[in-house]
Amino acid sequence: MDLWQLHIFVSVVEQKSFSRASEQIHLSQPTVSTHIKELEAHFQCRLLDRLGKVTEPTRAGAILYDYAKRMLDLKQETQSAMQDFLGQTRGQLLIGGSTIPAGYILPRMMGAFKNAFPDVSILMTVGDTGQITRAVKEGELELGVVGAKTSDPDIVQEKLVEDEMKLVIPSSHEWADRESVSCKALLAQPLIAREQGSGTWKTVIAGMEKAGVDVSRLKPAVTMGNCVSVIQGILNNVGISIISTIAVADELDRGRLHALSVEDLDLSRNFYLTLARKRTRSPICTKFIHFLKDQISA
């Protein structure tokens, strides 16, 4: 058994296919199969089952997968630590963000960080708050920036950026000359909701419940899976929505959209730096966290 064989095994498990794994790691399929057979011979048990077109780990394979991931992560951490000691900040950083951070906050930070550390490769995953938090917990990402807090004890979060949400409407809307509207009036309008798991939508619902609004009366006209779609829906008169002013800053400046406050509704929120409590952070991740905080506080 060696780390290269474990790398191949992990790839097969994650790709659920010998052929896709071979493409990912640039080996022939027979070579991949040979390495897996050598691992199975070493442990004297079957590690993978081929179930038609899908390959799944056996119970023994599932145990090995967990340990293999930890060993491969430790290998990467070791390389990063030694390079950092030698003054060579290089390697790969896996980060994630929910819609607003990934679209409007992290790219700016990533560009500045890359200028400071050109030998670092950054891979960013975009998902809703729940998806990013789970990926951080499972070690698929080193850090995330999301728009809602979690109660998961394995996750630690820290306030990073303040955000303000408002009711956003087309400039041609009948409310375009107003600065605010009531919650009751809002309930009578066609509303564009965000998908379940969205930090934005969780904040909206929590704010309404705190204001005493019966959220069961909230009947969205349509639900959309990302902020870009919501903005396009508003521009094309599908409905109106409560979204981050960070996301619509350009459209507000151009006068295509108009933002209003909702009376008695607290729509302030934060974006949170999200980390796995029990996972060791790589030197590159630690540097990126310090960089984020310095850039935001500057």
Side-chain angles (χ1 to χ4, degrees), residues 36-50:
I36 297 301
K37 287 177 182 177
E38 289 174 355
L39 269 180
E40 291 180 329
H42 175 80
F43 288 109
Q44 298 182 349
C45 64
R46 180 176 289 278
L47 298 172
L48 296 166
D49 285 330
R50 300 195 191 205

Side-chain angles (χ1 to χ4, degrees), residues 94-235:
L94 304 178
I95 66 174
S98 55
T99 306
I100 302 302
Y104 305 94
I105 298 172
L106 285 172
R108 176 166 53 90
M109 303 298 176
M110 289 164 58
F113 188 77
K114 281 286 293 177
N115 288 336
F117 304 103
D119 292 328
V120 173
S121 171
I122 304 177
L123 277 70
M124 182 173 71
T125 297
V126 183
D128 63 36
T129 292
Q131 291 169 334
I132 297 301
T133 301
R134 283 192 297 274
V136 169
K137 178 179 177 178
E138 292 167 7
E140 296 171 8
L141 303 172
E142 281 208 79
L143 68 85
V145 180
V146 299
K149 296 208 75 172
T150 177
S151 58
D152 192 324
D154 292 329
I155 293 292
V156 59
Q157 292 181 300
E158 180 181 344
K159 184 171 72 173
L160 190 66
V161 179
E162 293 183 356
D163 184 33
E164 180 184 24
M165 295 192 296
K166 288 192 173 184
L167 177 65
V168 178
I169 62 176
S171 57
S172 58
H173 195 277
E174 59 181 318
W175 292 346
D177 59 345
R178 299 189 188 185
E179 294 300 319
S180 65
V181 294
S182 68
C183 272
K184 184 177 180 181
L186 177 61
L187 293 175
Q189 290 283 321
L191 198 63
I192 301 176
R194 285 290 305 278
E195 79 286 1
Q196 186 177 8
S198 162
T200 295
W201 197 243
K202 287 180 180 177
T203 302
V204 171
I205 296 300
M208 288 185 169
E209 289 176 338
K210 186 176 180 180
V213 176
D214 182 3
V215 294
S216 66
R217 295 177 55 200
L218 200 61
K219 305 296 182 186
V222 65
T223 299
M224 294 185 172
N226 60 65
C227 194
V228 173
S229 298
V230 173
I231 294 170
Q232 288 300 312
I234 298 170
L235 286 168

Side-chain angles (χ1 to χ4, degrees), residues 246-268:
I246 294 174
V248 291
D250 289 343
E251 300 298 342
L252 294 176
D253 289 342
R254 294 173 186 167
R256 300 179 69 193
L257 296 176
H258 181 64
L260 303 84
S261 299
V262 181
E263 296 162 10
D264 301 320
L265 200 58
D266 180 10
L267 293 175
S268 60

Side-chain angles (χ1 to χ4, degrees), residues 66-80:
D66 288 338
Y67 281 97
K69 284 284 289 182
R70 287 159 60 183
M71 285 189 277
L72 293 171
D73 288 345
L74 184 58
K75 174 194 172 186
Q76 181 63 44
E77 182 184 332
T78 302
Q79 290 176 328
S80 296

